[in-house]
Coordinates of all heavy atoms in Angstrom, one line a residue:
M1 N 16.8 68.2 138.4 CA 15.8 69.0 137.5 C 14.9 69.8 138.2 O 14.0 69.2 138.9 CB 15.2 68.2 136.4 CG 16.2 67.5 135.5 SD 15.4 66.2 134.6 CE 15.6 64.9 135.7
K2 N 15.0 71.1 138.2 CA 14.2 72.0 139.0 C 12.9 72.5 138.5 O 12.0 72.8 139.2 CB 14.9 73.1 139.5 CG 16.2 72.8 140.4 CD 16.9 74.0 140.8 CE 18.1 73.5 141.7 NZ 18.8 74.8 142.2
T3 N 12.8 72.4 137.0 CA 11.6 73.0 136.4 C 11.0 72.0 135.5 O 11.6 71.0 135.1 CB 12.0 74.3 135.6 OG1 12.9 73.9 134.6 CG2 12.9 75.3 136.4
L4 N 9.7 72.4 135.2 CA 8.9 71.6 134.4 C 9.7 71.6 132.9 O 9.7 70.5 132.4 CB 7.5 72.1 134.2 CG 6.6 71.4 133.2 CD1 5.3 71.1 133.8 CD2 6.6 72.1 131.9
Q5 N 10.2 72.6 132.6 CA 10.8 72.6 131.3 C 12.0 71.7 131.2 O 12.3 71.0 130.2 CB 11.2 74.0 130.9 CG 12.2 74.7 131.7 CD 12.4 76.2 131.5 OE1 11.3 76.9 131.6 NE2 13.6 76.7 131.4
E6 N 12.8 71.6 132.2 CA 13.9 70.7 132.3 C 13.4 69.3 132.3 O 14.1 68.5 131.7 CB 14.7 71.0 133.7 CG 15.4 72.2 133.5 CD 16.3 72.6 134.9 OE1 15.7 72.2 136.0 OE2 17.2 73.2 134.8
R7 N 12.4 69.0 133.1 CA 11.9 67.5 133.1 C 11.3 67.1 131.8 O 11.5 66.0 131.4 CB 10.9 67.4 134.3 CG 11.6 67.5 135.8 CD 10.6 67.2 136.8 NE 9.5 68.2 137.0 CZ 9.9 69.4 137.6 NH1 11.0 69.6 138.2 NH2 9.0 70.2 137.8
L8 N 10.6 68.1 131.2 CA 10.0 67.8 129.9 C 11.1 67.5 128.8 O 11.0 66.5 128.1 CB 9.1 69.0 129.4 CG 8.6 68.8 128.0 CD1 7.7 67.7 127.8 CD2 7.9 70.0 127.6
K9 N 12.1 68.3 128.8 CA 13.1 68.0 127.8 C 13.8 66.7 128.1 O 14.2 66.0 127.2 CB 14.1 69.2 127.8 CG 15.1 69.3 126.7 CD 15.9 70.6 126.7 CE 16.6 70.7 125.4 NZ 17.3 72.0 125.3
F10 N 14.1 66.5 129.4 CA 14.8 65.2 129.8 C 14.0 64.0 129.3 O 14.5 63.1 128.7 CB 14.9 65.2 131.3 CG 15.5 63.9 131.8 CD1 16.8 63.5 131.7 CD2 14.5 63.0 132.4 CE1 17.2 62.3 132.3 CE2 14.9 61.8 132.9 CZ 16.2 61.5 132.8
A11 N 12.7 64.1 129.7 CA 11.8 62.9 129.3 C 11.7 62.7 127.9 O 11.6 61.6 127.3 CB 10.4 63.1 130.0
R12 N 11.6 63.8 127.1 CA 11.5 63.7 125.7 C 12.7 63.1 125.1 O 12.7 62.2 124.2 CB 11.3 65.1 125.1 CG 11.2 65.1 123.5 CD 10.9 66.5 123.0 NE 11.8 67.4 123.2 CZ 13.1 67.6 122.6 NH1 13.4 66.7 121.7 NH2 14.0 68.5 122.9
K13 N 13.9 63.5 125.5 CA 15.2 63.0 125.0 C 15.4 61.6 125.4 O 15.9 60.8 124.6 CB 16.3 63.9 125.4 CG 16.4 65.3 124.7 CD 17.5 66.0 125.0 CE 17.5 67.3 124.1 NZ 18.8 67.9 124.1
E14 N 14.9 61.2 126.7 CA 15.1 59.8 127.0 C 14.3 59.0 126.3 O 14.5 57.7 126.2 CB 14.7 59.7 128.5 CG 15.8 60.3 129.5 CD 17.2 59.4 129.4 OE1 17.1 58.3 129.6 OE2 18.2 60.1 129.2
A15 N 13.0 59.4 125.7 CA 12.2 58.7 124.9 C 12.6 58.7 123.4 O 12.0 58.1 122.6 CB 10.8 59.1 125.1
F16 N 13.7 59.3 123.1 CA 14.3 59.5 121.8 C 13.3 60.1 120.8 O 13.1 59.7 119.7 CB 14.7 58.1 121.3 CG 15.9 57.5 122.0 CD1 15.6 56.6 122.9 CD2 17.2 57.9 122.0 CE1 16.5 55.9 123.7 CE2 18.2 57.3 122.7 CZ 17.9 56.4 123.6
L17 N 12.5 61.2 121.3 CA 11.6 61.8 120.5 C 12.1 63.3 120.2 O 12.7 64.0 121.0 CB 10.3 62.0 121.3 CG 9.5 60.7 121.7 CD1 8.3 61.0 122.5 CD2 9.1 60.0 120.4
T18 N 11.8 63.7 119.1 CA 12.0 65.1 118.6 C 10.8 65.8 119.2 O 9.7 65.2 119.5 CB 12.1 65.3 117.2 OG1 10.8 65.0 116.5 CG2 13.3 64.5 116.6
Q19 N 10.8 67.2 119.2 CA 9.7 68.1 119.5 C 8.5 67.7 118.5 O 7.4 67.6 119.0 CB 10.0 69.5 119.5 CG 10.9 69.9 120.6 CD 11.4 71.5 120.6 OE1 11.1 72.1 119.6 NE2 11.8 71.9 121.6
A20 N 8.8 67.5 117.2 CA 7.8 67.3 116.3 C 7.1 65.9 116.6 O 5.9 65.8 116.4 CB 8.4 67.3 114.9
Q21 N 7.9 65.0 116.9 CA 7.3 63.6 117.3 C 6.5 63.7 118.5 O 5.3 63.1 118.6 CB 8.3 62.6 117.4 CG 9.1 62.2 116.1 CD 10.4 61.4 116.3 OE1 11.1 61.6 117.4 NE2 10.7 60.6 115.4
L22 N 6.9 64.5 119.5 CA 6.1 64.6 120.7 C 4.8 65.4 120.4 O 3.8 65.1 120.9 CB 6.9 65.4 121.8 CG 6.2 65.5 123.1 CD1 5.6 64.4 123.7 CD2 7.1 66.2 124.1
S23 N 4.9 66.4 119.4 CA 3.8 67.1 119.0 C 2.7 66.1 118.5 O 1.5 66.3 118.9 CB 4.2 68.0 117.9 OG 3.1 68.7 117.3
V24 N 3.1 65.2 117.7 CA 2.1 64.2 117.1 C 1.5 63.4 118.2 O 0.3 63.2 118.3 CB 2.7 63.3 116.0 CG1 1.9 62.2 115.7 CG2 3.2 64.2 114.8
R25 N 2.3 62.9 119.2 CA 1.8 62.0 120.3 C 0.9 62.8 121.2 O 0.0 62.2 121.7 CB 2.9 61.5 121.0 CG 3.7 60.4 120.4 CD 4.7 59.8 121.6 NE 5.3 58.6 120.9 CZ 6.0 57.9 121.7 NH1 6.1 58.0 123.0 NH2 6.7 56.8 121.2
S26 N 1.2 64.1 121.5 CA 0.4 64.8 122.5 C -0.7 65.6 121.9 O -1.7 66.0 122.6 CB 1.4 65.8 123.3 OG 1.9 66.7 122.3
G27 N -0.7 65.9 120.6 CA -1.8 66.7 119.9 C -1.5 68.2 120.1 O -2.3 69.0 119.9
L28 N -0.3 68.6 120.7 CA 0.1 69.8 120.9 C 1.0 70.3 119.7 O 1.6 69.5 119.1 CB 0.9 70.1 122.2 CG 0.2 69.9 123.3 CD1 1.1 70.0 124.6 CD2 -1.0 70.7 123.6
S29 N 1.0 71.6 119.4 CA 1.9 72.0 118.3 C 3.4 72.0 118.7 O 3.7 72.0 119.9 CB 1.5 73.4 117.9 OG 2.0 74.4 118.9
Q30 N 4.1 71.8 117.7 CA 5.6 71.8 117.9 C 6.1 73.1 118.6 O 7.0 73.1 119.5 CB 6.5 71.4 116.7 CG 7.9 71.3 116.9 CD 8.7 72.6 116.8 OE1 8.3 73.5 116.1 NE2 9.8 72.6 117.6
S31 N 5.5 74.2 118.2 CA 6.0 75.5 118.7 C 5.5 75.6 120.2 O 6.3 76.2 121.0 CB 5.3 76.6 117.9 OG 3.9 76.6 117.9
T32 N 4.4 75.0 120.6 CA 3.9 75.0 122.0 C 5.0 74.3 122.9 O 5.4 74.7 124.0 CB 2.6 74.4 122.2 OG1 1.6 75.3 121.6 CG2 2.2 74.3 123.7
I33 N 5.5 73.1 122.3 CA 6.5 72.3 123.2 C 7.7 73.1 123.2 O 8.4 73.1 124.2 CB 6.6 70.9 122.4 CG1 5.3 70.1 122.5 CG2 7.8 70.2 122.9 CD1 5.2 68.9 121.7
A34 N 8.2 73.7 122.0 CA 9.4 74.6 122.1 C 9.3 75.6 123.1 O 10.2 75.9 123.9 CB 9.6 75.0 120.8
Q35 N 8.1 76.3 123.1 CA 8.0 77.4 124.1 C 8.0 76.9 125.5 O 8.6 77.6 126.4 CB 6.6 78.1 123.8 CG 6.6 78.9 122.6 CD 5.2 79.4 122.3 OE1 4.3 79.2 123.1 NE2 5.2 80.2 121.1
I36 N 7.4 75.7 125.8 CA 7.5 75.1 127.2 C 9.0 74.8 127.6 O 9.4 75.1 128.7 CB 6.6 73.9 127.4 CG1 5.2 74.2 127.1 CG2 6.8 73.3 128.7 CD1 4.1 73.1 127.0
E37 N 9.7 74.2 126.6 CA 11.1 73.8 126.9 C 12.0 75.0 127.1 O 12.9 74.9 127.8 CB 11.6 72.9 125.8 CG 11.0 71.5 125.9 CD 11.7 70.6 124.9 OE1 12.6 70.9 124.2 OE2 11.3 69.3 125.0
S38 N 11.7 76.1 126.5 CA 12.5 77.3 126.5 C 12.1 78.3 127.7 O 12.7 79.2 128.1 CB 12.4 78.2 125.3 OG 11.1 78.7 125.1
G39 N 10.9 77.9 128.4 CA 10.4 78.7 129.5 C 9.5 79.9 129.1 O 9.1 80.6 130.0
R40 N 9.2 80.0 127.8 CA 8.3 81.1 127.4 C 6.9 80.8 127.7 O 6.0 81.6 127.6 CB 8.5 81.4 125.9 CG 9.9 82.1 125.6 CD 10.1 82.4 124.2 NE 10.6 81.1 123.7 CZ 10.3 80.6 122.5 NH1 9.6 81.4 121.6 NH2 10.8 79.5 122.1
N41 N 6.6 79.4 128.0 CA 5.2 79.0 128.3 C 5.4 78.1 129.6 O 6.2 77.2 129.5 CB 4.7 78.3 127.1 CG 3.3 77.7 127.3 OD1 2.8 77.4 128.4 ND2 2.4 77.7 126.2
S42 N 4.6 78.4 130.6 CA 4.8 77.6 131.7 C 4.4 76.1 131.6 O 4.9 75.3 132.2 CB 3.8 78.2 132.9 OG 2.4 78.0 132.6
G43 N 3.5 75.9 130.6 CA 3.2 74.4 130.3 C 2.4 73.7 131.2 O 1.8 72.6 130.9
T44 N 1.9 74.3 132.3 CA 1.1 73.6 133.3 C -0.2 73.2 132.7 O -0.8 72.1 133.1 CB 1.1 74.4 134.6 OG1 0.4 75.6 134.3 CG2 2.4 74.5 135.3
R45 N -0.8 74.0 131.8 CA -2.0 73.7 131.3 C -2.0 72.5 130.3 O -3.1 71.8 130.2 CB -2.4 74.9 130.5 CG -3.5 75.1 129.6 CD -3.7 76.4 129.1 NE -4.2 76.4 127.9 CZ -4.5 77.5 127.2 NH1 -4.3 78.7 127.7 NH2 -5.0 77.5 126.0
Y46 N -0.8 72.2 130.0 CA -0.7 71.0 129.0 C 0.0 69.8 129.6 O 0.3 68.8 129.0 CB 0.0 71.4 127.7 CG -0.4 72.7 127.1 CD1 0.3 73.9 127.1 CD2 -1.6 72.7 126.4 CE1 -0.2 75.0 126.4 CE2 -2.2 73.8 125.8 CZ -1.5 75.0 125.8 OH -1.9 76.1 125.2
A47 N 0.3 69.9 130.8 CA 1.1 68.8 131.5 C 0.5 67.5 131.5 O 1.2 66.5 131.3 CB 1.4 69.3 133.0
D48 N -0.8 67.4 131.6 CA -1.5 66.1 131.5 C -1.3 65.5 130.2 O -1.0 64.2 130.0 CB -2.9 66.1 131.9 CG -3.8 67.1 131.0 OD1 -3.2 68.0 130.4 OD2 -4.9 66.9 130.9
L49 N -1.5 66.2 129.1 CA -1.3 65.7 127.7 C 0.2 65.2 127.5 O 0.4 64.2 126.9 CB -1.7 66.7 126.7 CG -3.1 67.2 126.6 CD1 -3.2 68.3 125.7 CD2 -4.0 66.0 126.2
L50 N 1.1 66.1 128.0 CA 2.6 65.7 127.8 C 3.0 64.5 128.6 O 3.7 63.6 128.2 CB 3.4 66.9 128.2 CG 3.2 68.1 127.2 CD1 3.8 69.4 127.8 CD2 3.9 67.8 125.9
A51 N 2.4 64.4 129.9 CA 2.8 63.3 130.8 C 2.3 61.9 130.1 O 3.1 60.9 130.0 CB 2.2 63.4 132.1
K52 N 1.1 62.0 129.5 CA 0.5 60.8 128.8 C 1.3 60.5 127.7 O 1.7 59.2 127.4 CB -1.0 61.0 128.6 CG -1.9 60.9 129.7 CD -3.3 61.2 129.3 CE -4.1 61.4 130.5 NZ -5.5 61.8 130.2
A53 N 1.8 61.3 126.8 CA 2.4 61.2 125.6 C 3.8 60.6 125.9 O 4.4 59.8 125.1 CB 2.5 62.5 124.7
L54 N 4.4 60.9 127.0 CA 5.7 60.5 127.3 C 5.8 59.3 128.2 O 6.9 58.7 128.5 CB 6.5 61.6 128.1 CG 6.8 62.8 127.2 CD1 7.2 64.1 127.9 CD2 8.0 62.5 126.2
G55 N 4.5 59.0 128.8 CA 4.5 57.8 129.7 C 5.1 58.1 131.1 O 5.8 57.1 131.6
V56 N 5.1 59.3 131.5 CA 5.7 59.7 132.8 C 4.5 60.1 133.8 O 3.5 60.4 133.3 CB 6.7 60.8 132.7 CG1 7.9 60.4 131.9 CG2 6.2 62.1 132.1
S57 N 4.8 60.1 135.0 CA 3.8 60.6 136.0 C 3.6 62.2 136.0 O 4.5 62.9 135.7 CB 4.4 60.1 137.4 OG 3.8 61.0 138.4
L58 N 2.3 62.5 136.0 CA 1.9 63.9 136.0 C 2.6 64.6 137.2 O 3.2 65.6 137.0 CB 0.5 64.0 136.0 CG -0.1 65.4 136.0 CD1 0.4 66.2 134.8 CD2 -1.5 65.5 136.1
D59 N 2.6 63.9 138.4 CA 3.2 64.6 139.6 C 4.8 64.8 139.3 O 5.2 65.8 139.7 CB 3.0 63.6 140.8 CG 1.6 63.7 141.3 OD1 0.9 64.6 141.0 OD2 1.2 62.8 142.0
W60 N 5.4 63.9 138.7 CA 6.8 64.0 138.5 C 7.1 65.2 137.5 O 7.8 66.0 137.7 CB 7.4 62.7 138.0 CG 8.9 63.0 137.6 CD1 10.0 62.8 138.5 CD2 9.4 63.2 136.4 NE1 11.2 63.2 137.8 CE2 10.8 63.4 136.5 CE3 8.9 63.4 135.1 CZ2 11.7 63.6 135.4 CZ3 9.7 63.7 134.0 CH2 11.0 63.8 134.2
L61 N 6.3 65.2 136.5 CA 6.4 66.2 135.5 C 6.2 67.6 136.0 O 7.0 68.5 135.7 CB 5.6 66.0 134.2 CG 5.7 66.8 133.0 CD1 7.2 66.7 132.4 CD2 4.7 66.5 131.9
L62 N 5.2 67.7 136.9 CA 4.9 69.0 137.4 C 5.8 69.5 138.5 O 6.2 70.6 138.4 CB 3.4 69.1 137.8 CG 2.3 69.1 136.8 CD1 1.1 68.9 137.4 CD2 2.4 70.5 136.0
S63 N 6.2 68.6 139.3 CA 7.0 69.0 140.6 C 8.2 68.3 140.7 O 9.1 68.8 141.5 CB 6.1 68.7 141.8 OG 6.0 67.1 141.9
G64 N 8.5 67.2 140.0 CA 9.7 66.5 140.2 C 9.7 65.5 141.4 O 10.7 64.8 141.6
E65 N 8.5 65.5 142.1 CA 8.4 64.7 143.2 C 7.9 63.3 142.8 O 7.2 63.1 141.8 CB 7.4 65.2 144.1 CG 7.8 66.5 144.7 CD 8.9 66.5 145.7 OE1 9.0 65.5 146.5 OE2 9.8 67.4 145.7
G66 N 8.3 62.2 143.5 CA 7.8 60.8 143.3 C 8.4 60.3 142.0 O 9.4 60.7 141.5
P67 N 8.0 59.0 141.9 CA 8.7 58.3 140.7 C 8.4 58.9 139.4 O 7.4 59.5 139.2 CB 8.1 56.8 140.8 CG 6.7 57.1 141.5 CD 6.9 58.3 142.4
I68 N 9.2 58.7 138.4 CA 9.1 59.2 137.1 C 7.8 58.7 136.4 O 7.2 59.3 135.6 CB 10.3 59.0 136.3 CG1 10.3 59.9 134.9 CG2 10.6 57.6 136.0 CD1 11.6 59.9 134.1
S69 N 7.5 57.5 136.9 CA 6.3 56.8 136.3 C 5.5 56.1 137.4 O 6.1 55.7 138.3 CB 6.7 55.9 135.1 OG 5.5 55.1 134.7
T70 N 4.2 56.0 137.2 CA 3.4 55.2 138.1 C 3.3 53.8 137.7 O 2.8 52.9 138.4 CB 2.0 55.8 138.2 OG1 1.4 55.8 136.9 CG2 1.9 57.2 138.8
N71 N 3.8 53.4 136.6 CA 3.8 52.0 136.1 C 5.1 51.4 136.6 O 6.2 51.8 136.3 CB 3.9 52.0 134.5 CG 3.9 50.6 133.9 OD1 4.1 49.7 134.7 ND2 3.6 50.6 132.7
P72 N 5.0 50.3 137.5 CA 6.2 49.7 138.1 C 7.0 49.0 137.0 O 8.2 48.8 137.2 CB 5.7 48.7 139.1 CG 4.1 48.5 138.6 CD 3.7 49.8 137.9
L73 N 6.5 48.7 135.8 CA 7.2 48.1 134.8 C 8.0 49.1 133.8 O 8.8 48.7 133.0 CB 6.4 47.2 133.9 CG 5.5 46.1 134.7 CD1 4.7 45.4 133.7 CD2 6.6 45.2 135.4
F74 N 7.7 50.5 134.1 CA 8.2 51.4 133.2 C 9.7 51.6 133.6 O 10.2 51.6 134.7 CB 7.6 52.9 133.5 CG 8.3 53.9 132.7 CD1 7.9 54.2 131.5 CD2 9.1 54.8 133.4 CE1 8.3 55.3 130.8 CE2 9.7 55.8 132.6 CZ 9.3 56.1 131.3
S75 N 10.5 51.6 132.5 CA 12.0 51.8 132.6 C 12.3 52.7 131.4 O 12.2 52.2 130.3 CB 12.7 50.6 132.6 OG 14.0 50.8 132.6
P76 N 12.6 54.1 131.7 CA 12.9 54.8 130.5 C 14.2 54.3 129.8 O 15.1 53.7 130.4 CB 13.3 56.2 131.1 CG 13.4 56.0 132.6 CD 12.8 54.6 132.9
P77 N 14.1 54.5 128.4 CA 15.3 54.0 127.7 C 16.6 54.7 128.1 O 16.4 55.9 128.4 CB 14.9 54.2 126.3 CG 13.8 55.0 126.3 CD 13.2 55.1 127.7
R78 N 17.6 54.0 128.1 CA 19.0 54.6 128.4 C 19.7 55.0 127.1 O 19.6 54.0 126.2 CB 19.7 53.7 129.3 CG 19.1 53.5 130.6 CD 19.0 54.7 131.5 NE 18.3 54.6 132.7 CZ 17.6 55.6 133.2 NH1 17.6 56.8 132.7 NH2 16.8 55.3 134.3
R79 N 20.4 56.0 127.0 CA 21.2 56.3 125.9 C 22.4 55.4 125.8 O 23.0 55.0 126.9 CB 21.7 57.7 126.0 CG 20.5 58.7 125.8 CD 21.0 60.1 125.9 NE 19.9 60.9 125.7 CZ 19.5 61.4 124.5 NH1 19.9 61.0 123.5 NH2 18.5 62.2 124.6
R80 N 22.8 55.1 124.7 CA 23.9 54.2 124.6 C 25.2 55.1 124.7 O 25.2 56.2 124.1 CB 23.9 53.4 123.2 CG 22.9 52.5 123.1 CD 22.9 51.8 121.8 NE 21.6 51.2 121.5 CZ 21.2 50.9 120.2 NH1 21.9 51.1 119.2 NH2 19.9 50.4 120.1
A81 N 26.2 54.5 125.2 CA 27.4 55.3 125.3 C 28.0 55.2 123.9 O 28.1 54.2 123.2 CB 28.4 54.6 126.3
M82 N 28.6 56.4 123.5 CA 29.2 56.4 122.2 C 30.7 56.6 122.3 O 31.4 56.9 123.2 CB 28.6 57.6 121.5 CG 27.2 57.5 121.3 SD 26.7 58.3 119.7 CE 25.0 57.9 119.8

């Protein structure tokens, strides 16, 4: 994943959240989240709110560097095979 928008969408889907649900958790509007995921908004200004709401590392969300979470007990949920 090369961009913040790709990492945001990945983390949101791994957490089984809709954009509307992430909106409630982060305090951002659903349209802002949609704009970030589509690349119409860079999202860097809101990255800290989104990282906290998703339980991921701010560094990972912004750059893709380092662990996805700073919490050693964090394990993102895995999708079930269908």
Side-chain angles (χ1 to χ4, degrees):
M1 292 168 276
K2 295 181 180 181
T3 65
L4 179 138
Q5 67 196 51
E6 291 173 327
R7 289 184 293 277
L8 173 61
K9 193 171 188 176
F10 170 80
R12 178 179 62 77
K13 288 186 173 194
E14 286 295 306
F16 299 99
L17 296 173
T18 64
Q19 289 178 348
Q21 291 167 325
L22 180 55
S23 168
V24 170
R25 281 191 179 191
S26 66
L28 299 173
S29 70
Q30 185 273 326
S31 63
T32 297
I33 293 166
Q35 289 174 0
I36 297 168
E37 286 187 359
S38 70
R40 288 178 279 150
N41 181 327
S42 71
T44 55
R45 168 171 150 179
Y46 308 111
D48 59 332
L49 295 171
L50 293 166
K52 286 177 188 171
L54 290 165
V56 298
S57 157
L58 179 59
D59 288 339
W60 176 83
L61 187 60
L62 286 172
S63 67
E65 300 291 322
I68 192 169
S69 174
T70 55
N71 180 348
L73 301 176
F74 177 81
S75 177
R78 299 288 171 214
R79 295 184 178 269
R80 293 183 203 157
M82 300 211 177

